[in-house]
Amino acid sequence: MSCFKSKFADELIANAAYIGTPGKGILAADESIGTIGKRFVSINVENVESNRRALRELLFTTPGALQYISGIILFEETLYQKTASGKLFVDVMKEAGVLPGIKVDKGTVELAGTNGETTTIGLDGLGDRCKKYYEAGARFAKWRAVLKIGKEEPSELAIHENAYGLARYAVICQENGLVPIVEPEILVDGSHDIEKCASVTERVLAACYKALSDHHVILEGTLLKPNMVTPGSDSGSKVKPEVIAAVDFCYIGKLFVDVMKEAGVLPGIKVDKGTVELAGTNGETTTIGLDGLGDRCKKYYEAGARFAKWRAVLKIGKEEPSELAIHENAYGLARYAVICQENGLVPIVEPEILVDGSHDIEKCASVTERVLAACYKALSDHHVILEGTLLKPNMVTPGSDSGSKVKPEVIAAHTVRALQRTVPAAVPAVVFLSGGQSEEEATVNLNAINQLKGKKPWSLTFSYGRALQQSTLKAWGGKEENVDKAQKAFLARAKANSEATLGAYKGDAQLGDGASESLHVKDYKY
């Protein structure tokens, strides 16, 4: 795992899930003394502690109301206040099954060098405060970052500063037992349209989850509090709720492509030109082929291709993958992806982390999460349409030289968790590479992935080469008289993997010669 080890890990995950209970929500009662004073002015009430306490008691003791609430965010003053009868508000909440939360940021300050953009302060002493709040009964926290949309805003500086501030706050909270609410609010102020808001929201969220990954935050122990995607308040535009919701979320003389089309199969094309060593690294690589790619994609589309593939290759070592290798490969994949989409091809994004090495499954998980987080940040920066992409990752497994054998259920759990932490729900499908697994291993592990319970918003399927063809090749042997036998072997593997995509493979496929052989080739190239 890429997340840090915390004694609170299980508690954080349970509390985050509880706060997200369907049918319940969060009451934000964390107004500062100044903010609540403005509200009191509107009803001609004096802004004193007794009145602030009375309002909170009114809310927290409304008969029947707290059954609809999973958590209440408090201002520090309120955390220690009591009802008129002397019971702590925190105890009132606990008895009603409501988790107390606490606002921990200290507001915003202008970010020097920007056009009035801001960053949030409050990190100084945050660990000590979080420890104290936990002891007082708080179980989650809130930190609000604020960004605005303008002609040149939000700037990359503002996005970066706020994303990494949120990430630092989040990991400090988790170190002290508090579930962090990550709140990157993009203000509705402005005359922008809904598309502009959508674009900015995607950029900001991509940056936030890259920062959270870099800080090893346990995502299962967090909550996200984003803005909805709407037009600017001064745009004069009114859109329907449904619109807002939608934005938020050769064979006998015949060409092979025609054979595929008639069978309902889309032709795809490999467009990269292999890898070259990345200067300044310990034998790491970057993929080439961007020169002239647009013209080639246009030609491939005219010839009938409808999707493309580009393989980036990273390795796990003592110091690898380096940040340079991750960045170069992520941004190469993103540039390829947008060029494909400009020319009508769906890009398969393939950041393969080689199985070579003696690393354990936890190390593979950590690296996989780092790499995928970097890829989706790069794809966001390049404005790639995620709904028009596919991801082709490695499964999360121990290194080939580790001597470790783990059960398919363990591989499934680590693999799905890595995807949950990094891959946006907008991506329609994850098509796994086999990565040197035997035909049967690749099928069994894919089956376990699809049987795993939990949130899986993508189709989880396969993009196998060797793991679909090994027994077929052995059955064929290059002899015309073996074609029928070879096709039966291929059909058996295709059917088995189809069943695995549904979690319905029972291990009953007839195993052809070679189906159980490891297909691992060190430093595999093709």
Side-chain angles (χ1 to χ4, degrees):
M1 305 191 323
S2 70
C3 54
F4 74 98
K5 309 300 182 187
S6 169
K7 65 180 181 180
F8 296 106
D10 292 340
E11 181 183 346
L12 290 166
I13 293 168
N15 284 341
Y18 181 79
I19 295 169
T21 299
K24 296 191 177 190
I26 295 172
L27 168 63
D30 60 331
E31 301 89 349
S32 66
I33 292 172
T35 299
I36 203 167
K38 294 174 184 176
R39 299 184 183 177
F40 280 172
V41 167
S42 68
I43 58 173
N44 198 29
V45 169
E46 186 180 2
N47 185 12
V48 294
E49 189 275 339
S50 59
N51 285 335
R52 294 192 295 271
R53 190 208 59 75
L55 172 63
R56 268 62 186 259
E57 180 170 356
L58 180 157
L59 296 171
F60 304 159
T61 61
T62 297
L66 295 191
Q67 66 180 306
Y68 306 114
I69 305 296
S70 56
I72 300 176
I73 308 171
L74 306 173
F75 188 61
E76 185 172 11
E77 174 186 72
T78 317
L79 182 64
Y80 301 101
Q81 286 178 323
K82 300 177 180 179
T83 65
S85 62
K87 180 180 287 188
L88 284 166
F89 284 151
V90 167
D91 292 333
V92 173
M93 295 175 208
K94 288 179 180 177
E95 290 175 7
V98 174
L99 291 179
I102 182 73
K103 178 187 177 193
V104 297
D105 70 76
K106 294 191 175 183
T108 60
V109 294
E110 188 164 331
L111 188 57
T114 67
N115 180 28
E117 295 181 284
T118 61
T119 188
T120 305
I121 59 174
L123 289 174
D124 290 349
L126 180 58
D128 291 337
R129 285 186 283 129
C130 286
K131 182 178 180 181
K132 181 178 70 172
Y133 298 147
Y134 182 91
E135 291 170 351
R139 289 299 178 267
F140 68 99
K142 178 193 131 157
W143 176 286
R144 178 176 177 251
V146 183
L147 298 110
K148 66 177 182 177
I149 297 177
K151 188 175 180 181
E152 303 292 336
E153 292 81 35
S155 64
E156 282 303 312
L157 174 61
I159 292 174
H160 182 275
E161 284 296 310
N162 282 285
Y164 280 81
L166 280 165
R168 186 70 190 126
Y169 135 82
V171 77
I172 292 172
C173 283
Q174 291 190 336
E175 287 172 339
N176 291 281
L178 301 182
V179 171
I181 292 181
V182 176
E183 183 178 357
E185 180 179 359
I186 299 162
L187 297 176
V188 74
D189 305 355
S191 57
H192 53 273
D193 60 18
I194 195 170
E195 297 296 335
K196 177 70 172 180
C197 183
S199 172
V200 169
T201 300
E202 290 176 28
R203 283 174 57 208
V204 169
L205 292 179
C208 286
Y209 280 97
K210 173 62 167 64
L212 291 167
S213 173
D214 288 347
H215 282 75
H216 311 298
V217 172
I218 305 170
L219 293 187
E220 298 89 336
T222 66
L223 297 168
L224 173 66
K225 185 178 180 181
N227 51 282
M228 294 184 189
V229 176
T230 65
S233 56
D234 300 326
S235 67
S237 174
K238 295 290 286 183
V239 297
K240 294 180 179 180
E242 295 80 6
V243 176
I244 293 172
V247 174
D248 273 334
F249 231 92
C250 207
Y251 181 74
I252 316 181
K254 184 179 288 188
L255 286 169
F256 282 145
V257 292
D258 292 332
V259 174
M260 296 176 205
K261 287 177 182 177
E262 289 173 9
V265 175
L266 291 178
I269 183 75
K270 176 179 184 283
V271 299
D272 71 75
K273 294 189 175 183
T275 61
V276 295
E277 188 164 334
L278 189 57
T281 68
N282 182 27
E284 295 182 285
T285 62
T286 187
T287 305
I288 57 174
L290 289 174
D291 291 349
L293 180 58
D295 292 337
R296 285 186 283 131
C297 286
K298 182 178 179 182
K299 181 179 69 173
Y300 298 146
Y301 183 90
E302 290 169 352
R306 288 299 178 266
F307 67 96
K309 181 194 120 135
W310 177 287
R311 178 179 180 247
V313 183
L314 297 110
K315 66 177 183 178
I316 297 177
K318 187 175 181 181
E319 303 294 337
E320 292 81 31
S322 64
E323 282 303 313
L324 175 60
I326 292 175
H327 182 276
E328 284 297 310
N329 282 287
Y331 279 81
L333 280 165
R335 185 71 190 126
Y336 136 81
V338 77
I339 292 171
C340 285
Q341 291 190 336
E342 286 173 338
N343 291 280
L345 301 181
V346 170
I348 292 181
V349 176
E350 183 179 355
E352 179 176 359
I353 299 161
L354 295 176
V355 73
D356 305 0
S358 58
H359 53 273
D360 62 17
I361 195 169
E362 297 293 338
K363 177 70 172 180
C364 182
S366 172
V367 170
T368 300
E369 291 176 30
R370 282 175 58 208
V371 169
L372 291 179
C375 286
Y376 282 100
K377 175 64 167 64
L379 291 167
S380 173
D381 287 347
H382 283 75
H383 312 295
V384 172
I385 304 166
L386 294 187
E387 295 86 345
T389 66
L390 298 168
L391 173 66
K392 183 176 179 177
N394 50 282
M395 294 181 190
V396 176
T397 66
S400 56
D401 299 325
S402 68
S404 174
K405 293 291 289 184
V406 298
K407 293 181 178 179
E409 294 78 11
V410 176
I411 290 171
H414 283 76
T415 301
V416 172
R417 185 171 59 197
L419 299 176
Q420 289 171 334
R421 290 174 172 170
T422 54
V423 181
V427 177
V430 175
V431 297
F432 290 102
L433 57 89
S434 56
Q437 299 177 76
S438 72
E439 287 185 336
E440 185 68 2
E441 278 179 329
T443 304
V444 169
N445 288 334
L446 178 62
N447 191 64
I449 286 169
N450 279 290
Q451 286 184 335
L452 187 73
K453 303 298 183 184
K455 297 176 183 177
K456 295 179 290 185
W458 336 266
S459 172
L460 298 169
T461 181
F462 58 90
S463 177
Y464 294 163
R466 291 170 289 168
L468 264 176
Q469 300 178 49
Q470 178 70 2
S471 56
T472 301
L473 285 169
K474 292 213 168 189
W476 176 49
K479 299 177 181 179
E480 181 68 27
E481 62 268 27
N482 290 338
V483 167
D484 182 63
K485 178 182 176 183
Q487 288 183 332
K488 287 178 180 177
F490 179 65
L491 177 61
R493 294 320 313 171
K495 179 176 181 289
N497 283 298
S498 173
E499 291 170 350
T501 67
L502 304 174
Y505 179 58
K506 296 180 172 56
D508 54 355
Q510 183 174 351
L511 300 185
D513 188 18
S516 298
E517 289 179 12
S518 170
L519 302 177
H520 172 247
V521 177
K522 190 172 183 179
D523 194 25
Y524 181 62
K525 295 180 176 66
Y526 56 89

